[in-house]
Amino acid sequence: MKRLLLLCLAFLHLPAHAAPAGALLLWPGAPPGGAAPGPQRDSAKGSITQVAQPYLLVHRPAQPNGMAMLLVSGGGYAHIEAGKESGPAAAWLQAQGITAFELVYRLPQEGGGVAAPFQDGQRAMRVIRARAAEWRIDPARIGMLGFSAGAHLAGMTAVEPDAARYAPVDAADRVSARPDFAVLLYPVLTMQAPFDTTHAKKELLGAHPAQAARDALSVELQVDARTPPVFLAQALDDPISPPENSTLMAAALRRAGVPVELHQFQQGGHGWGLGRKGSEPAAWPALLLAWLRTNGWLAAEAGR
């Protein structure tokens, strides 16, 4: 029976175990530029590699409030830390009435090239907005939340939503890929020295990239007046992503006249996800909800 299933999948040109049951494939056929040969690999802790078919995991609340968030886990563009980042965040957002979408994207060194994750991020935003009515989502209240290298992917989508990253494949590609706001947590954003010490930079650009390549993938250099509002949070003792990633981005947003809220924690390190109970970074979910309410994306709580 297993041999028959594999033969059928080969006939259909779909990789075995391309996506879990219930996942929403991003592309109607093969993704542009190629992908990992598969099968997808999932560790016991929820780290994902070898993504053959990028997809969304949809977390629908019992009573949707109309807001949605596209979640992008980090992992240095070498793996996807869904078990520590997008998974717990999706459950928390769902409990707030927010429809959450976990993005499982292609990694640049696994067949799709450097453009692959950015193609997937752009396409994911378009698919969500194009099908907003189906999920009872307001198409003007769709945000993007990224962790670490996932914040780089989210940031690039936010600052260059109209970049021609792939040829249109269906009607979804006629809608905007611009998130209405972006949430960037312990982010990797700049590729400029001396803050270019991250694994994400190495995976994307290698050891000795040309200055033009650094500039093209430095999120803060692409900011303009059309960039959506941004919520930033990072610990000052982050050993992986220099805190200047957040401060450079905040300064660029302010120069462009784009609303930004920056939270810097004295301690917390890197990779905290929702935040360990009692730690400084554990404050970010409540801070984010307050920011969302202040800006009108999330309804104020009753009695306030």
Side-chain angles (χ1 to χ4, degrees):
M1 180 60 72
K2 182 177 180 181
R3 177 179 173 80
L4 178 61
L5 175 60
L6 291 172
L7 287 172
C8 289
L9 287 167
F11 179 77
L12 291 171
H13 304 289
L14 293 174
H17 310 297
L24 174 64
L25 298 183
L26 284 183
W27 305 95
Q40 178 175 304
R41 296 175 182 171
D42 301 74
S43 77
K45 294 184 178 180
S47 177
I48 300 169
T49 57
Q50 292 293 315
V51 178
Q53 279 283 352
Y55 57 88
L56 293 170
L57 293 175
V58 187
H59 301 262
R60 303 179 69 180
Q63 296 182 318
N65 59 26
M67 201 188 107
M69 196 87 80
L70 174 61
L71 303 175
V72 192
S73 295
Y77 284 113
H79 54 100
I80 300 169
E81 287 288 356
K84 295 180 180 179
E85 295 178 335
S86 63
W92 170 70
L93 289 167
Q94 188 178 26
Q96 314 304 313
I98 299 168
T99 304
F101 298 83
E102 290 185 76
L103 174 61
V104 176
Y105 54 94
R106 289 170 293 158
L107 298 165
Q109 302 301 322
E110 292 186 351
V114 171
F118 308 116
Q119 292 169 338
D120 294 345
Q122 199 176 54
R123 173 70 179 175
M125 279 300 307
R126 288 174 171 151
V127 167
I128 294 168
R129 185 165 278 124
R131 298 177 61 173
E134 174 186 337
W135 290 308
R136 296 167 59 189
I137 293 168
D138 179 348
R141 290 195 288 146
I142 303 173
M144 199 165 180
L145 186 159
F147 302 86
S148 192
H152 183 267
L153 199 165
M156 288 297 294
T157 305
V159 298
E160 294 188 331
D162 302 322
R165 302 198 187 283
Y166 60 90
V169 296
D170 57 24
D173 288 324
R174 292 198 290 268
V175 305
S176 175
R178 178 185 181 271
D180 295 295
F181 56 89
V183 180
L184 310 178
L185 305 176
Y186 43 96
V188 175
L189 299 171
T190 190
M191 299 290 143
Q192 305 297 317
F195 313 119
D196 59 340
T197 55
T198 62
H199 195 81
K201 175 262 176 184
K202 294 174 185 175
E203 289 290 315
L204 290 172
L205 297 175
H208 304 290
Q211 187 59 46
R214 290 177 183 272
D215 293 350
L217 289 181
S218 289
V219 178
E220 79 281 6
L221 298 186
Q222 321 310 323
V223 168
D224 61 23
R226 292 188 62 250
T227 300
V230 175
F231 178 101
L232 287 156
Q234 188 168 15
L236 292 173
D237 65 348
D238 190 327
I240 304 297
S241 175
E244 286 82 0
N245 279 276
S246 290
T247 55
L248 288 170
M249 183 66 175
L253 291 161
R254 292 180 183 123
R255 285 194 299 270
V258 176
V260 56
E261 181 160 311
L262 169 62
H263 293 278
Q264 293 180 293
F265 306 117
Q266 291 296 316
Q267 295 182 317
H270 189 84
W272 19 268
L274 284 178
R276 179 176 51 82
K277 186 176 180 180
S279 68
E280 289 184 64
W284 80 258
L287 293 169
L288 175 60
L289 290 179
W291 183 73
L292 294 171
R293 293 186 181 108
T294 297
N295 286 277
W297 296 300
L298 187 62
E301 290 182 317
R304 288 194 175 184

